[in-house]
Amino acid sequence: MNTRTRVLTGTALAVALGAGAFGAVSASATTPTAETAQVSLSGKKDGPGDKNFTTTTHLTVDAATRAAQAALKAAESENQKVTVAVVDRNGNTIVTLRGDGAGPQSYESAERKAFTAVSWNAPTSVLAGRLAQTPNLKDIPGTLFLGGGAPVQANGAPVAGVGVAGAPSGDLDEKFAKAGVDALAK
């Protein structure tokens, strides 16, 4: 046999063996064993892998909308034109409501305040006070250390954030954000 024939024969043999081995691995990977952890749809865990799973709490779209509407209503009752954003634990926006006449900067500011509040599980006014000791905090992408963000907690853990922007002071923004958080307790 010449060199080319030997190379082609060897390559074909390697492909055939590889395909057979892949099929065996794939078949055994899908076959459950007694040691495989089973997770039921109810979220309960059975088996030795329990420590590998966690259960989280998420704010529903309905609850996020109620919180945003309550914050917007609180601002409107004081003739303030604001934007309200509600983000989930990961900082993803669930809902944003831009009130009539709210400034163009308020949209992004509200989202960033909500993200900051949920990230540190603290009102943004408290976090703004920490900048004196750690000024580089403001350099973290997506954050805004101005009053107006409030965390939403479940069993003490942060699950969402409400951010408000557009009022003439961070104190007012935060007051309206807290009204949104308080609406969730009703």
Side-chain angles (χ1 to χ4, degrees):
M1 265 201 271
N2 67 28
T3 306
R4 183 172 185 220
T5 305
R6 280 187 288 196
V7 169
L8 289 175
T9 304
T11 302
L13 182 58
V15 168
L17 287 174
F22 177 74
V25 169
S26 294
S28 66
T30 59
T31 306
T33 64
E35 290 129 19
T36 302
Q38 300 295 316
V39 180
S40 70
L41 292 177
S42 67
K44 295 185 180 188
K45 295 159 242 153
D46 302 315
D50 292 357
K51 66 183 177 186
N52 295 321
F53 297 95
T54 185
T55 302
T56 61
T57 302
H58 296 276
L59 206 58
T60 65
V61 171
D62 181 56
T65 303
R66 279 195 332 267
Q69 288 173 332
L72 190 59
K73 185 176 180 179
E76 288 172 347
S77 72
E78 295 190 28
N79 295 316
Q80 298 301 316
K81 297 170 170 72
V82 301
T83 298
V84 181
V86 181
V87 301
D88 67 13
R89 175 62 183 113
N90 298 321
N92 300 310
T93 303
I94 301 171
V95 65
T96 301
L97 298 178
R98 184 176 177 268
D100 294 335
Q105 79 290 352
S106 64
Y107 194 91
E108 183 179 348
S109 296
E111 288 181 338
R112 290 175 60 193
K113 288 177 182 183
F115 173 75
T116 304
V118 73
S119 294
W120 276 274
N121 195 23
T124 53
S125 60
V126 171
L127 298 169
R130 295 182 188 169
L131 286 178
Q133 295 123 0
T134 317
N136 61 339
L137 281 177
K138 70 182 179 331
D139 297 332
I140 298 172
T143 59
L144 186 58
F145 293 90
L146 299 173
V152 177
Q153 299 177 346
N155 299 321
V159 296
V162 178
V164 176
S169 75
D171 292 340
L172 282 174
D173 284 341
E174 198 158 304
K175 174 182 173 183
F176 306 141
K178 287 179 181 176
V181 173
D182 292 344
L184 296 173
K186 297 176 183 176

